[in-house]
Amino acid sequence: MPRLNACLFLVLFFLPFVISDDSKCSSHKTYVTSFTEGKIDSLVYAEPDYKVVFALLQSGDLYRSEDGARTFSKVTGIPGTDELFKTPDPKKFYLLAEDGHIYVSTDTGKTFVLRDSTKLFSSPVVHPTNADWILAGSPPCLSSFFCQTTLYVSTDFAQSWKEVKKFVNEPWSWGDAGKYGIPAENVHLMYRESETATSYTYGQSRNLGQKIDYTIPNAIALLHSDMFFFVAQSVAEKLTLYSGPSNSSSLKPCLFPESLPQDRYSILDTSAGSTFINVEHGGSGDRAWGHTYVADSFANPSFTLSLKYNRRQGGKVDFARVKGVQGVYIANQFSGVVGSSVAHDTPLQTYITFNNGGKWVRLAKPKGVDCKDCTGLNLVGRSNRRNIPSFYTTSKAVGLIIASGNVLKTLRDTTPNDLDTYFSRDAGLSWEKIKDGAHHYQFLDHGGIIALVDFVNPTKQYTYSFNEGLNWYDCPINGLDNAIQVTSLSYPPQATHLSFHMIGERSDKTGSTPKGCLVTVDFSDLHSKVCDPVNDYETFSPHDNNKCLLGAKTAYRRRKREKECFNNDAIENNTAIESCPCTNEDWECDLCYQETVDGKCQKIDSPQCRSTETSVADTPPATCNDKYPVRKGYRLVSGTRCNPLADGAVNKYEMKQCPGTGGSSSAAKIGISITVIVILVALVGGFFYRRKTNENFRERTDDYWDRFTGIFRSREGASGYSIAGGRGGEPQDLDDDDYNDKLLSADSGLLQ
């Protein structure tokens, strides 16, 4: 009898966590589609309501759904699809066929028509604001360097084409043409001056190539990302990176403090006003690490070291922004690296920053996890070669993070069987284990629903929670006879989406060729009501006890964890911003300074730093009555909204005496002036931040913002309208604010 009681206790103990409850599964529906031609390469969602969904197969076949991926019909009349492109007009699509011809559609992809049968094209790029304008190369490039193509432009929906420039190399870009005061005819490209020339020149034209307005010689790569433009230049095997705002008439060389050689650049994030770049240092070949640097200004790309030995592999870097919360990033770092190589026993561990890269700390040990020697949680990053899902966040579910990880001493040599699934609901401050094993995962309905699917084994079920992991429900996939090996999850890019899609493959019998399989799960009948804006929501701060984050106390609204209701589509994320006095965490070492063991900033003795002015010009203001601030050795962390002159604030600016004064009575005036400046900076920062996190506010201010072309907002997603779906890789999450690492490589000249 005691043994029976013990078993009953275990059942009751685990019942609230993983439950097989028909009532929690029968309220939503599953739809299964098999594709006999082969595996699914990608899904493309058509705006505005995302009911039209395209499935592009690796075989080149294209299928279309009009009911949110519940049922599909094959698109006919095309020889095979290589890539599908969306445009600013939701009804218009471009399609690049396998044979190089471009087809167009004006009925949201129901039918496609061949335009110009005389030309074969490669790498079409759709204009960001005009659906009828498109760039493409012809004939297609046959190699990645010394390309022999000619760049053409069409301004009549691919009906006719006009030559832009000969001897052009991929890629080319519209940048932000037609936005923020930039001419619609703005084009960026790399070209050779003649057929026999051995190097490329970067050129910017504001009239479709009729005149090149700005050039950088010896260019090997270019990239447009989040209103920034980057160009890599190689001279005598020395690599230099240029950057600047996308509406700038010129780019400036990026300044890095390290004297190590620069072999590759990965643009990690440009979304919050600052720029994070990972630089691979030291010798040829693909290193396992790079140093990550941050710059705090659009106009002055002076980078300081943020994180050493950041894990990278194959152009992917273990670095991610916690979306929706300003200044929080997660990265993996090798500890104790000596020289340029990484020893096999070098630990790989996960770190987090809450102040825009100014200070990194180990992730906290998960709650309720018993481990003797663990020093914290480690999470799998994007560079892993097993395609294990990495840390995942979205701005639509503020503060929520889900990831695969372990509590061992290192992530090195980790296999999927060594991992479990972990969850944070406070932007990475604390963690909890929510499921054994590695999983695919997805947030739906502002995080009100979390879906999990087995990563390792073929499965006939999925798991979900509607209360952020308090309870989990295992549900069967109705209509699925044989288990599906899921390769990725996808979902419509809208805040309150209530369905997700499993992309995978399955075999009808042992030894048969795997078929592509798509499972759609619809949660629209899960709850009976929409959340009450008064009683069903709470506020939370990314720090315990409402501490300051990046110099401000910011409160966010979200649904209470236990409430069974759908989120209101108009939910406002940020509800309050209050400036804080500056602390040590709001300061970082300036360009050409590095932090010592005792926490002070010491000047770096390197050729770059000896030839670079590393402090703000020591020039008093035009009206100087007593003292004025000079930045030497320290600077405020990018994005901080703290007040360095508030009571109890840490102020690391050096105060200098105004010329011709004795330092007597005007201290108050200079203090007031600085306070006014700080307040103005805080207001501008608050404006930027609200536009980023509040869709309604962003829409109300768009007209004013477009006129104010000298200041740049951060925006989610890739620049303009680029490739929407294409073959050549595994399916990717279609989160509209996801970003991929952008690699500028000295030895290949390719963007990855």
Side-chain angles (χ1 to χ4, degrees):
M1 194 63 182
R3 179 173 299 176
L4 179 60
N5 289 339
C7 292
L8 181 61
F9 170 77
L10 287 175
V11 172
L12 292 175
F13 181 78
F14 284 103
L15 186 61
F17 298 97
V18 181
I19 304 173
S20 293
D21 186 345
D22 289 340
S23 66
K24 293 298 183 181
C25 296
S26 60
S27 61
H28 37 89
K29 303 176 180 66
T30 57
Y31 304 87
V32 180
T33 304
S34 294
F35 299 95
T36 58
E37 296 91 342
K39 301 176 184 178
I40 303 169
D41 187 86
S42 60
L43 297 183
V44 179
Y45 299 90
E47 298 177 358
D49 58 5
Y50 309 108
K51 291 294 185 182
V52 174
V53 182
F54 297 91
L56 176 58
L57 308 188
Q58 293 181 9
S59 62
D61 294 283
L62 181 66
Y63 282 80
R64 181 180 182 273
S65 170
E66 293 186 346
D67 54 11
R70 296 180 180 185
T71 60
F72 284 86
S73 59
K74 191 172 184 178
V75 179
T76 59
I78 48 178
T81 303
D82 187 67
E83 297 171 348
L84 183 66
F85 299 85
K86 295 194 291 186
T87 75
D89 184 340
K91 292 184 177 297
K92 291 186 175 182
F93 281 79
Y94 293 92
L95 185 151
L96 179 65
E98 290 178 325
D99 60 7
H101 285 116
I102 289 181
Y103 292 72
V104 298
S105 173
T106 58
D107 54 9
T108 320
K110 289 182 181 179
T111 58
F112 284 88
V113 178
L114 175 63
R115 284 300 208 190
D116 188 342
S117 61
T118 64
K119 287 186 174 63
L120 301 180
F121 294 96
S122 65
S123 303
V125 179
V126 182
H127 196 279
T129 60
N130 191 326
D132 292 339
W133 289 26
I134 184 171
L135 295 169
S138 182
C141 282
L142 301 178
S143 64
S144 60
F145 210 59
F146 292 111
C147 182
Q148 297 289 340
T149 195
T150 298
L151 181 62
Y152 288 88
V153 63
S154 173
T155 57
D156 56 7
F157 203 41
Q159 184 69 46
S160 62
W161 297 85
K162 180 181 179 181
E163 180 180 308
V164 177
K165 196 77 173 175
K166 292 183 181 294
F167 315 123
V168 177
N169 191 16
E170 298 178 349
W172 36 80
S173 173
W174 291 104
D176 284 311
K179 298 180 178 181
Y180 324 121
I182 302 173
E185 298 82 2
N186 190 73
V187 177
H188 302 263
L189 67 161
M190 292 190 302
Y191 62 94
R192 288 189 285 157
E193 297 289 355
S194 66
E195 188 174 5
T196 59
T198 58
S199 64
Y200 282 91
T201 297
Y202 159 76
Q204 179 183 5
S205 171
R206 302 215 162 191
N207 54 10
L208 297 179
Q210 296 180 35
K211 176 185 176 184
I212 301 298
D213 301 292
Y214 172 71
T215 62
I216 296 177
N218 301 301
I220 60 169
L222 63 84
L223 175 70
H224 175 228
S225 174
D226 293 310
M227 303 183 68
F228 278 85
F229 222 92
F230 299 89
V231 174
Q233 179 192 62
S234 180
V235 178
E237 299 184 354
K238 179 181 178 182
L239 202 61
T240 301
L241 182 66
Y242 290 78
S243 72
S246 59
N247 78 339
S248 175
S249 59
S250 63
L251 304 179
K252 296 182 178 180
C254 297
L255 303 177
F256 296 95
E258 298 288 339
S259 58
L260 300 171
Q262 301 169 26
D263 293 339
R264 288 180 179 88
Y265 307 105
S266 290
I267 313 303
L268 302 178
D269 188 42
T270 58
S271 63
S274 54
T275 302
F276 284 89
I277 295 179
N278 184 274
V279 182
E280 182 179 313
H281 295 294
S284 60
D286 196 10
R287 297 287 177 183
W289 58 266
H291 292 342
T292 293
Y293 301 86
V294 60
D296 66 346
S297 171
F298 288 104
N300 184 26
S302 299
F303 287 80
T304 59
L305 180 63
S306 177
L307 184 70
K308 282 191 171 185
Y309 307 116
N310 193 179
R311 165 71 174 174
R312 65 174 294 145
Q313 196 76 45
K316 295 182 178 180
V317 182
D318 287 3
F319 185 98
R321 171 171 54 96
V322 177
K323 298 166 186 173
V325 179
Q326 190 177 18
V328 183
Y329 295 83
I330 298 175
N332 286 332
Q333 181 189 47
F334 286 109
S335 301
V337 176
V338 178
S340 60
S341 61
V342 177
H344 182 73
D345 58 351
T346 303
L348 178 62
Q349 298 175 328
T350 303
Y351 287 78
I352 189 168
T353 176
F354 294 98
N355 65 343
N356 230 41
K359 179 182 179 181
W360 294 83
V361 296
R362 286 280 284 119
L363 278 191
K365 174 183 171 182
K367 299 174 182 177
V369 175
D370 184 20
C371 55
K372 295 180 180 180
D373 300 324
C374 65
T375 59
L377 176 63
N378 299 313
L379 303 178
V380 174
R382 299 183 64 242
S383 71
N384 79 87
R385 293 181 172 178
R386 301 175 186 267
N387 293 321
I388 302 170
S390 62
F391 18 83
Y392 168 64
T393 73
T394 171
S395 61
K396 305 175 188 69
V398 177
L400 303 188
I401 314 172
I402 194 166
S404 301
N406 65 29
V407 290
L408 304 176
K409 292 183 178 180
T410 179
L411 278 169
R412 298 292 295 274
D413 302 321
T414 296
T415 68
N417 293 322
D418 301 324
L419 301 171
D420 296 312
T421 304
Y422 294 87
F423 175 67
S424 172
R425 65 189 308 267
D426 53 14
L429 187 66
S430 62
W431 294 83
E432 57 188 282
K433 178 181 170 181
I434 57 174
K435 196 77 169 172
D436 291 333
H439 291 79
H440 299 282
Y441 24 74
Q442 200 74 71
F443 294 130
L444 292 81
D445 188 35
H446 288 292
I449 300 171
I450 304 175
L452 302 178
V453 180
D454 195 318
F455 172 78
V456 179
N457 304 302
T459 185
K460 298 176 71 174
Q461 70 173 27
Y462 59 95
T463 302
Y464 82 98
S465 172
F466 63 82
N467 51 25
E468 298 180 7
L470 290 178
N471 302 101
W472 292 97
Y473 300 94
D474 291 331
C475 298
I477 301 174
N478 297 321
L480 188 65
D481 298 328
N482 300 306
I484 176 177
Q485 181 67 62
V486 178
T487 56
S488 66
L489 303 185
S490 181
Y491 66 95
Q494 61 189 111
T496 55
H497 57 271
L498 295 171
S499 63
F500 76 98
H501 312 293
M502 305 179 210
I503 300 174
E505 58 188 71
R506 64 188 179 102
S507 301
D508 292 334
K509 57 184 179 179
T510 303
S512 63
T513 303
K515 299 178 180 178
C517 186
L518 180 69
V519 177
T520 297
V521 182
D522 184 3
F523 288 96
S524 57
D525 295 328
L526 176 63
H527 300 311
S528 60
K529 67 169 186 173
V530 175
C531 297
D532 180 79
V534 176
N535 299 316
D536 294 335
Y537 288 93
E538 64 182 3
T539 60
F540 89 101
S541 179
H543 261 167
D544 282 341
N545 302 320
N546 199 28
K547 292 181 180 178
C548 297
L549 178 64
L550 270 183
K553 295 179 181 179
T554 305
Y556 299 86
R557 282 190 48 158
R558 65 182 177 190
R559 195 198 69 175
K560 292 180 180 178
R561 195 172 192 179
E562 71 281 359
K563 293 294 183 178
E564 296 189 35
C565 57
F566 289 124
N567 275 296
N568 190 317
D569 193 27
I571 180 176
E572 301 285 348
N573 285 333
N574 58 311
T575 59
I577 299 177
E578 177 186 347
S579 180
C580 300
C582 293
T583 67
N584 284 320
E585 290 191 354
D586 292 303
W587 298 90
E588 65 181 0
C589 293
D590 208 343
L591 174 67
C592 286
Y593 285 80
Q594 64 182 0
E595 189 174 2
T596 60
V597 177
D598 58 359
K600 296 181 180 180
C601 291
Q602 184 178 32
K603 192 169 184 178
I604 299 173
D605 185 19
S606 69
Q608 288 92 332
C609 293
R610 285 194 294 270
S611 61
T612 302
E613 180 61 42
T614 62
S615 67
V616 174
D618 186 5
T619 303
T623 302
C624 190
N625 298 316
D626 187 36
K627 293 183 179 180
Y628 63 98
V630 176
R631 194 178 84 185
K632 283 199 172 182
Y634 297 88
R635 69 183 184 188
L636 286 169
V637 170
S638 176
T640 185
R641 289 159 287 176
C642 72
N643 183 355
L645 299 178
D647 291 341
V650 175
N651 186 359
K652 296 190 177 182
Y653 286 136
E654 179 181 332
M655 304 303 296
K656 284 202 169 185
Q657 196 73 39
C658 292
T661 67
S664 55
S665 62
S666 298
K669 293 183 179 179
I670 189 68
I672 292 173
S673 299
I674 297 175
T675 301
V676 170
I677 293 172
V678 169
I679 292 173
L680 289 174
V681 170
L683 289 173
V684 173
F687 177 80
F688 281 138
Y689 189 67
R690 194 161 187 218
R691 278 186 57 85
K692 179 173 181 57
T693 59
N694 186 319
E695 184 174 353
N696 292 335
F697 181 78
R698 184 165 57 249
E699 291 177 354
R700 291 196 302 268
T701 58
D702 272 344
D703 289 341
Y704 303 100
W705 184 252
D706 287 344
R707 298 172 194 168
F708 197 38
T709 59
I711 301 177
F712 293 87
R713 63 179 176 94
S714 65
R715 65 180 176 88
E716 306 286 354
S719 59
Y721 284 80
S722 186
I723 178 170
R727 306 211 316 278
E730 293 299 320
Q732 300 292 322
D733 286 340
L734 296 179
D735 186 359
D736 69 335
D737 60 359
D738 254 347
Y739 65 90
N740 293 320
D741 296 328
K742 292 102 178 176
L743 175 69
L744 296 172
S745 172
D747 54 4
S748 68
L750 293 177
L751 269 68
Q752 298 179 358

